[in-house]
Amino acid sequence: MTIVGVDDTDSRSLGMCTTYLATRLGERIQEAGATIERRLLVRLNPAVKHKTRGNAALALHTDLSADRAFDLAREEIAARSIGEDPRTSPGVVVADVDPDDAGSVDATGEDRGIPSDVVRFAKGALRRRHELSVTHSLLESHDLRHAGFAAEGCDTEGRGRIGALAAVGAFAAFEEWTHEHIAYREFDRCGTPREVDRDSVFEAADSAYSTVWDTVDRGADEAVCVPNAPGPILYGIRGDDPDACRAVAERIDSEPVDRSATFLTNQGTDAHIEPGEIGSLRDGAGYQVDCVVLTEPETRRGGHVFVELASPDLLAQPDSLDPEFVDPDAYDPDDRLLGAAFEPTKRFRDRVRDLRVGDRLTVCGEVSHRDGSDRSSEAPTRTIKLEKFAVRDLVRTERVNPTCPSCGRSMASAGRDQGYRCRDCGTHAPERDRRPIDRDLEIGWYEVPPCARRHVAKPLVRGGFDAPIHPER
Ligand code: ATP
């Protein structure tokens, strides 16, 4: 079996997109008399800077010989992707291995399956930044065919080999897979407005929800399956079942579909998220973190909402949800995390605004170091871009000054450690009262809406979460 990995072929000037290039390459391979067993669309670390959009890399699994597949891939890249965009740095990697037999070697010591360090590299590509030099050493040590290209003015030749090698290792690196059926436009229409009937998209989406997800955003009234970016994709239908994705695509009325392909993908799987703890989070990686809300949520300029979080282990009274036991000053900036719900996350920000000091949560998202623009050096050193959070426990009462039993007015403090007193009636109460508060949040998981979903983030409706879910659709 041959695995062909390709990446970084987008060219603004040629209107290219790597999924399209892989689709065309797949057709060339079929024309050469071979079969395509799988098309992988692999999302890599969303925090990587050189990505054009969604940091996708592609792999084809085929029975064509590795030499012939390598020739065809180089021809397709040369013909389709070297435009004038100086950021385009295509790469191709070809391995002659069995994708179902990861880590195994034959009697002569040759890799029969995907080498285990390539599998690790693919896993790492979701949560780290790999260097081209490291990629190169791996390619050489396994004697893999590879080629790099560069558009004029590009500072790196063949940076796409990083993603291409990750795509080669992906099938053995990830356990959870979903599907996307992509329909492409007639190529000379690229750059013109897409003609897709909105109502047919919403009806088609309803017909297969929730097997098929993130086709539309009902709250934002947006057909999210239709991209805005220039390029050949007309729409992409994502879901848990490839036939259901294709059936939804069939129901959509649109301009002519030139060609289409169904990909196996790690989209919608949270493959970028691992458990972590505040105080030991790495920049540029995705985490799931248990925490307690430390400050009232704050809406800042631009409509972005921020809330400070801290590890529950450091609470003054670990079993208490009482905000009085949450003391932001007790935490230094490294022990705090700034939860951010940026403006594009739309209605999700209301869920974040509903949080109160003392609420216990599990939050998921990508962590980055505080940028220089953040106001004070007292601010948390790290930010987590919230993708979803689980409410584990809610503060349900607040402390208020006691009410005078005679006049019904609020009592005032009688001095330090002296309780409360009604100035008019002289009545006395030893401590503050507790008053129940209405909470709009419930226990369970909340998420950004489909219009703000990162490709790799898992929609709640897919299930498998450890608490009730409140899915956005
Ligand atoms: P599109 O979504 O339109 O396909 P893209 O967002 O996938 O575009 P690319 O043009 O593929 O962006 O550019 C991503 C670049 O980053 C590639 O060169 C790829 O090799 C590289 N890359 C991907 N993941 C990593 C990583 N973990 N570490 C370092 N480089 C990476």
Side-chain angles (χ1 to χ4, degrees):
M1 184 67 70
T2 298
I3 308 180
V4 188
V6 285
D7 195 13
D8 210 333
T9 67
D10 304 48
S11 149
R12 286 184 189 208
S13 46
L14 295 179
M16 189 41 60
C17 141
T18 309
T19 72
Y20 183 77
L21 185 127
T23 300
R24 298 296 298 243
L25 174 59
E27 290 170 11
R28 293 278 309 274
I29 290 173
Q30 285 167 325
E31 284 160 17
T35 44
I36 301 289
E37 189 166 314
R38 290 182 199 98
R39 294 173 174 81
L40 298 191
L41 162 49
V42 186
R43 296 290 176 176
L44 303 174
N45 191 347
V48 160
K49 281 201 190 66
H50 353 271
K51 67 177 184 177
T52 318
R53 291 179 288 261
N55 205 4
L58 275 290
L60 299 175
H61 294 184
T62 174
D63 54 5
L64 190 66
S65 77
D67 284 335
R68 186 81 185 102
F70 189 43
D71 288 343
L72 290 180
R74 281 184 297 182
E75 278 172 38
E76 281 297 306
I77 291 174
R80 296 188 192 280
S81 78
I82 319 294
E84 292 128 32
D85 187 339
R87 284 170 300 181
T88 303
S89 183
V92 54
V93 173
V94 175
D96 184 3
V97 292
D98 179 355
D100 294 302
D101 203 5
S104 71
V105 287
D106 63 19
T108 64
E110 291 277 308
D111 292 302
R112 220 175 16 215
I114 302 170
S116 30
D117 47 5
V118 174
V119 177
R120 279 197 299 279
F121 178 90
K123 280 191 185 137
L126 257 284
R127 307 192 74 253
R128 301 180 173 276
R129 188 172 171 281
H130 287 316
E131 297 300 330
L132 189 50
S133 55
V134 173
T135 310
H136 221 270
S137 315
L138 262 183
L139 291 169
E140 294 299 319
S141 72
H142 292 291
D143 215 6
L144 299 177
R145 294 160 187 82
H146 62 95
F149 304 75
E152 210 170 310
C154 182
D155 56 354
T156 318
E157 184 169 299
R159 187 195 294 124
R161 281 175 288 188
I162 302 172
L165 182 61
V168 165
F171 191 64
F174 307 113
E175 278 155 28
E176 198 176 341
W177 295 93
T178 64
H179 305 268
E180 176 162 359
H181 181 74
I182 300 183
Y184 296 99
R185 317 183 71 188
E186 290 170 342
F187 203 76
D188 51 14
R189 285 187 187 242
C190 288
T192 64
R194 291 170 174 84
E195 288 167 27
V196 180
D197 179 66
R198 180 211 162 274
D199 291 348
S200 72
V201 174
F202 275 75
E203 281 162 28
D206 284 343
S207 71
Y209 187 79
S210 58
T211 306
V212 172
W213 31 264
D214 285 0
T215 314
V216 297
D217 186 320
R218 290 158 184 90
D221 194 27
E222 201 181 304
V224 291
C225 64
V226 182
N228 293 317
I233 296 183
L234 185 57
Y235 51 78
I237 308 299
R238 298 177 178 186
D240 293 329
D241 178 74
D243 292 329
C245 294
R246 283 187 283 264
V248 165
E250 288 276 296
R251 295 171 79 122
I252 295 175
D253 295 330
S254 71
E255 63 181 60
V257 171
D258 190 43
R259 47 178 32 89
S260 61
T262 309
F263 297 87
L264 193 64
T265 161
N266 63 349
Q267 290 169 169
T269 64
D270 274 350
H272 63 317
I273 300 285
E274 277 186 11
E277 282 177 17
I278 297 177
S280 54
L281 304 175
R282 209 166 28 80
D283 302 339
Y287 285 101
Q288 168 166 329
V289 184
D290 291 333
C291 54
V292 62
V293 175
L294 203 56
T295 59
E296 294 300 332
E298 183 191 346
T299 303
R300 295 192 196 158
R301 208 169 55 187
H304 313 304
V305 180
F306 295 90
V307 61
E308 283 193 27
L309 309 163
S311 166
D313 304 343
L314 299 178
L315 274 180
Q317 284 203 3
D319 295 333
S320 174
L321 278 182
D322 193 327
E324 289 196 358
F325 293 108
V326 181
D327 174 10
D329 294 337
Y331 298 87
D332 80 44
D334 283 338
D335 291 330
R336 287 181 278 138
L337 183 62
L338 189 64
F342 292 106
E343 191 281 333
T345 63
K346 303 292 175 198
R347 53 197 191 266
F348 177 65
R349 293 172 300 161
D350 294 332
R351 305 284 78 79
V352 177
R353 287 186 187 106
D354 286 340
L355 293 168
R356 295 185 73 118
V357 174
D359 287 345
R360 284 170 192 273
L361 310 176
T362 301
V363 298
C364 292
E366 175 194 312
V367 169
S368 59
H369 202 265
R370 173 179 67 204
D371 63 29
S373 66
D374 212 323
R375 289 122 23 128
S376 77
S377 57
E378 286 310 300
T381 27
R382 288 193 164 71
T383 301
I384 187 162
K385 219 184 273 178
L386 297 172
E387 294 170 14
K388 55 170 79 78
F389 66 83
V391 174
R392 303 298 187 187
D393 224 338
L394 286 171
V395 171
R396 296 196 185 270
T397 58
E398 62 185 348
R399 290 197 182 237
V400 288
N401 286 4
T403 306
C404 170
S406 305
C407 69
R409 280 201 286 264
S410 181
M411 293 178 166
S413 169
R416 196 183 157 95
D417 296 334
Q418 291 181 46
Y420 294 81
R421 200 167 59 86
C422 176
R423 291 216 170 86
D424 297 330
C425 312
T427 48
H428 183 269
E431 58 184 28
R432 297 217 281 173
D433 285 343
R434 281 189 178 279
R435 182 171 65 188
I437 39 180
D438 283 341
R439 300 300 309 265
D440 289 333
L441 292 170
E442 293 168 20
I443 299 299
W445 286 93
Y446 291 87
E447 65 180 351
V448 301
C451 67
R453 184 112 52 222
R454 307 191 103 174
H455 299 286
V456 71
K458 182 171 175 173
L460 296 180
V461 73
R462 293 203 58 232
F465 290 88
D466 61 2
I469 52 169
H470 308 282
E472 290 288 344
R473 41 178 301 177

